Amino acid sequence: MKKKLRIKRLNHTVFFSTVLLKIIVFAVVFTCLSTKAFAHGDLTKQILKKTEEISKSPNNFELYYQRGLLYQQHVEYPKAMEDYLKSQALGNTDSVLQYRIAELNYLSEDYNNALNSITVYLDIIPTDVKAKKLEAQILFHLKSYQESLSAYQYVIEHMEDIRPEDILEFTDIILAENNENYAQAIETIEVGLGKLGSNTIALQLKKLEYLKESDDIEKALQQYDYFIVEYKRKEFWYYKKANYLVEQNRTEEANIALKQATIAIDQLDAKFKKMESIIELEDKIKHLENSLNN
């Protein structure tokens, strides 16, 4: 039931009309498909060109490595591995080849061989942050969560261009190792907010999720207040807060939040009040108010 309520709460953040949303989605999908098709077409040409070069220099290990990388980008993993191994057999001892073999094994879901390869690479370059991240990801899939945590901790501490998804991936590992360790997961989110900025939406949303999952009601309510203060469309966040208060059997506070949501809607420009998402929200507010007061 709780899971269903969480899913339901996520459906109240649409701020555009249905028609506009469909146009945006179509445009994004069309652009992505066009870009992907172009990229793959370009890769095919590069592979053909590289194959022609190999036919002229069949013992050049660098050419096999280069074509292997193109095959990997083209998601032709068996062919990529064949070229990587051929490059290695011809004398390529560059450590980057070992990394690519590990990466390719990981992408192919051959996690045991991926771990063997990345271990060899890290024996040569133990401080490579990108490789430590790959090691952590491999260990996660092998369910070696404690070792994965240790590797990813190094990543978090040393990665210069850290992204929200890196922080979120680390919290996934934390909770996989101990599904009740929300304290460390939230602490990691805070570290991420410190590095990336306090208004990093993906991290703030995940923080709210973890606070709710850990039943830290007061801090979860403070997190709802954060969104109400920081974001313009306060009416949706007041309604979300009201829903959460209802779940906690705090009816009086839920009614107050619903009234605040109504006030926020009243303060909107007329053009926003006519939006389908706002009309739907008003209906939901009334329905929830009726259920609380009857």
Side-chain angles (χ1 to χ4, degrees):
M1 183 65 181
K2 186 176 180 181
K3 197 171 284 185
K4 288 182 179 179
L5 286 170
R6 286 202 304 271
I7 293 171
K8 187 177 179 181
R9 286 198 299 267
L10 292 175
N11 293 327
H12 305 309
T13 56
V14 181
F15 305 137
F16 301 100
S17 68
T18 304
V19 174
L20 181 58
L21 184 58
K22 286 181 178 179
I23 292 171
I24 293 171
V25 170
F26 175 80
V28 170
V29 170
F30 179 79
T31 301
C32 290
L33 289 174
S34 299
T35 302
K36 186 175 181 181
F38 175 80
H40 275 254
D42 187 53
L43 283 170
T44 300
K45 291 179 181 178
Q46 291 183 58
I47 289 169
L48 290 172
K49 182 180 178 182
K50 198 62 60 178
T51 300
E52 185 180 345
E53 291 177 29
I54 288 172
S55 68
K56 297 175 182 177
S57 302
N59 295 317
N60 187 327
F61 61 69
E62 184 61 28
L63 292 177
Y64 282 100
Y65 169 75
Q66 292 169 359
R67 190 176 67 175
L69 186 56
L70 291 170
Y71 274 133
Q72 180 176 330
Q73 293 168 348
H74 204 248
V75 199
E76 294 187 75
Y77 296 152
K79 290 182 178 180
M81 185 60 75
E82 185 178 343
D83 273 358
Y84 285 159
L85 295 178
K86 180 69 174 178
S87 179
Q88 193 174 56
L90 287 171
N92 190 346
T93 59
D94 194 328
S95 59
V96 72
L97 174 60
Q98 196 65 42
Y99 175 85
R100 291 299 180 192
I101 290 173
E103 183 180 53
L104 187 55
N105 277 320
Y106 173 72
L107 293 170
S108 303
E109 300 182 4
D110 186 354
Y111 300 122
N112 286 308
N113 279 325
L115 182 60
N116 291 335
S117 298
I118 202 63
T119 300
V120 171
Y121 178 85
L122 285 168
D123 284 343
I124 303 168
I125 311 177
T127 58
D128 189 320
V129 176
K130 187 177 179 181
K132 290 296 288 185
K133 180 179 177 180
L134 180 57
E135 179 190 36
Q137 292 168 326
I138 294 165
L139 289 165
F140 175 79
H141 284 283
L142 290 172
K143 301 187 187 307
S144 299
Y145 299 130
Q146 194 61 50
E147 292 175 80
S148 179
L149 273 176
S150 178
Y152 220 111
Q153 183 67 51
Y154 182 89
V155 174
I156 296 299
E157 291 173 357
H158 294 87
M159 183 177 280
E160 293 182 2
D161 57 341
I162 198 162
R163 300 166 299 173
E165 50 265 41
D166 298 318
I167 299 295
L168 296 178
E169 187 170 35
F170 188 35
T171 62
D172 285 342
I173 299 171
I174 290 169
L175 292 173
E177 195 274 333
N178 178 352
N179 62 9
E180 295 183 356
N181 194 5
Y182 288 106
Q184 187 181 351
I186 293 169
E187 183 180 331
T188 299
I189 293 289
E190 295 291 0
V191 169
L193 290 169
K195 289 175 177 285
L196 297 167
S198 61
N199 288 332
T200 305
I201 183 68
L203 298 185
Q204 291 289 7
L205 285 170
K206 186 59 71 172
K207 180 181 175 182
L208 175 60
E209 178 186 326
Y210 288 160
L211 288 169
K212 287 159 60 178
E213 290 290 344
S214 61
D215 293 323
D216 195 336
I217 298 170
E218 295 308 318
K219 286 187 178 178
L221 289 171
Q222 290 174 17
Q223 188 67 3
Y224 276 112
D225 290 338
Y226 159 81
F227 286 111
I228 290 167
V229 169
E230 292 295 330
Y231 293 91
K232 292 181 179 180
R233 306 310 296 270
K234 302 178 187 302
E235 61 277 5
F236 289 97
W237 283 108
Y238 277 126
Y239 176 69
K240 287 173 181 287
K241 182 180 178 181
N243 264 304
Y244 181 67
L245 287 163
V246 170
E247 291 175 20
Q248 309 309 318
N249 296 316
R250 293 167 66 158
T251 305
E252 185 176 343
E253 292 170 84
N255 271 313
I256 292 172
L258 289 171
K259 286 182 173 58
Q260 290 171 316
T262 300
I263 292 170
I265 290 173
D266 289 340
Q267 293 174 343
L268 292 173
D269 291 340
K271 62 180 179 180
F272 289 116
K273 292 179 183 179
K274 295 177 182 178
M275 290 171 60
E276 185 177 341
S277 59
I278 296 298
I279 294 170
E280 289 179 358
L281 179 60
E282 287 181 304
D283 288 340
K284 289 174 182 176
I285 290 170
K286 290 175 184 176
H287 178 75
L288 188 54
E289 283 178 328
N290 290 336
S291 68
L292 292 175
N293 301 316
N294 289 336

